[in-house]
Amino acid sequence: MKIAALQMVSTPDVDRNLADAVQLIAQAAAAGAKLVALPEYFCLMGRRDEDKLTHAEAEGSGPLQQALAQAARDHGVWLIGGTLPLHAEVPNRVRNTTLVWNPQGQQVARYDKIHLFAFDNGRESYDEGRVLEAGTQAQAFEAEGFRLGLSICYDLRFPEHFRSLMNPPCDVLVVPAAFTYTTGQAHWELLLRARAVENQCYVLAIGQGGQHDNGRRTWGQSMVIDPWGQILAQQAEGPGVVLADISHERIAEVRTQLPALKHRRC
């Protein structure tokens, strides 16, 4: 199956971001992708954290969800919708949520980001907990005979999250992200390849990548990694489509030659 990471450089303009996302979905489908994925915060890189509250939707309704469901139908693809803000139970908070649609435009999975990013090096400071409500449950779904485990950005630093998705084993681990340039340069590829190797899975990593209107710079480097940790395709910065083919045969080959998943003791 051909899969695609749709790298973006999102802005504070939701309509513009949505139009860019739909265009990338069409481009990937035209290139033969059967499953496509958008990055974290594809719909909004706001000037303030609180901007997410303005655009939050209820699950199952709202212009963002309607547009992505329609794009999945129009292009006949499985669509992993990066993340978008959904209403939370706590006032003045939202869930940072990945939704998945099948080629008929039906929602088939939801994952709310569990681990909330915080970082302060004296020059940059971030704290997602100011506006996000954390999720509680890991999620996976089936598409075209493959099992795909969901994660979001900062989850990447918690290997136990991915281990929880390996019973039964996943074939692909999906990581939509908006890594900062600083943390991405240091750890993005290192962590992604580690998750692929230790779980003997493909990794589909979809980043924001470039200089944003709000002054933030994200790392990019969207990529597809095979179960041996080899990078099959990637893009540094800027919007674009990263395509690669995945197969059950490659997964079986790696897991047969080195049956590490069977050797687990905890």
Side-chain angles (χ1 to χ4, degrees):
M1 178 172 68
K2 191 178 294 294
I3 62 175
L6 309 181
Q7 184 161 287
M8 297 180 63
V9 188
S10 296
T11 75
D13 185 335
V14 172
D15 291 339
R16 174 182 167 187
N17 298 332
L18 187 56
D20 289 345
V22 171
Q23 182 179 18
L24 288 170
I25 293 166
Q27 183 180 339
K34 298 300 182 185
L35 181 143
V36 304
L38 293 163
E40 185 182 28
Y41 298 133
F42 88 92
C43 58
L44 178 68
M45 290 290 281
R47 299 191 185 280
R48 304 178 308 127
D49 288 342
E50 291 76 14
D51 292 345
K52 299 179 184 69
L53 303 175
T54 303
H55 298 282
E57 298 181 350
E59 183 178 7
S61 65
L64 292 170
Q65 294 171 80
Q66 291 168 5
L68 293 183
Q70 185 65 50
R73 281 194 298 271
D74 288 346
H75 300 289
V77 295
W78 293 85
L79 172 57
I80 301 171
T83 73
L84 51 86
L86 293 187
H87 293 314
E89 296 179 5
V90 176
N92 298 316
R93 295 286 191 277
V94 295
R95 292 290 182 106
N96 190 21
T97 300
T98 295
L99 298 176
V100 182
W101 290 269
N102 67 18
Q104 292 74 47
Q106 300 165 325
Q107 183 188 318
V108 297
R110 170 180 174 169
Y111 168 64
D112 297 338
K113 186 177 187 178
I114 292 175
H115 301 95
L116 303 185
F117 178 58
F119 178 73
D120 189 344
N121 65 358
R123 300 180 305 277
E124 302 172 84
S125 178
Y126 306 96
D127 184 359
E128 290 186 321
R130 286 196 291 260
V131 296
L132 297 186
E133 178 182 74
T136 59
Q137 184 68 43
Q139 297 290 340
F141 70 100
E142 303 280 340
E144 306 293 324
F146 291 88
R147 178 173 167 83
L148 295 96
L150 297 172
S151 68
I152 300 171
C153 200
Y154 193 50
D155 288 332
L156 182 60
R157 295 183 181 275
F158 300 88
E160 62 271 20
H161 175 88
F162 298 89
R163 275 299 199 223
S164 75
L165 292 164
M166 297 302 291
N167 188 22
C170 286
D171 304 302
V172 184
L173 300 172
V174 184
V175 190
F179 255 58
T180 69
Y181 190 89
T182 301
T183 59
Q185 186 178 42
H187 300 143
W188 172 248
E189 180 182 323
L190 172 69
L191 291 170
L192 289 169
R193 295 180 71 187
R195 300 295 87 84
V197 168
E198 68 197 9
N199 294 294
Q200 300 185 313
C201 285
Y202 289 97
V203 170
L204 174 60
I206 320 97
Q208 295 276 356
Q211 188 69 48
H212 300 267
D213 291 352
N214 63 4
R216 181 173 174 179
R217 185 180 181 187
T218 47
W219 176 240
Q221 298 291 344
S222 297
M223 61 182 69
V224 181
I225 304 168
D226 86 348
W228 194 246
Q230 297 176 326
I231 297 173
L232 303 180
Q234 67 178 316
Q235 176 164 323
E237 289 188 319
V241 175
V242 179
L243 292 159
D245 290 301
I246 65 173
S247 71
H248 290 292
E249 290 77 14
R250 179 56 173 159
I251 297 169
E253 178 184 38
V254 169
R255 292 178 181 177
T256 299
Q257 292 177 351
L258 181 62
L261 293 177
K262 294 181 179 179
H263 295 159
R264 287 182 295 174
R265 293 294 182 265
C266 60

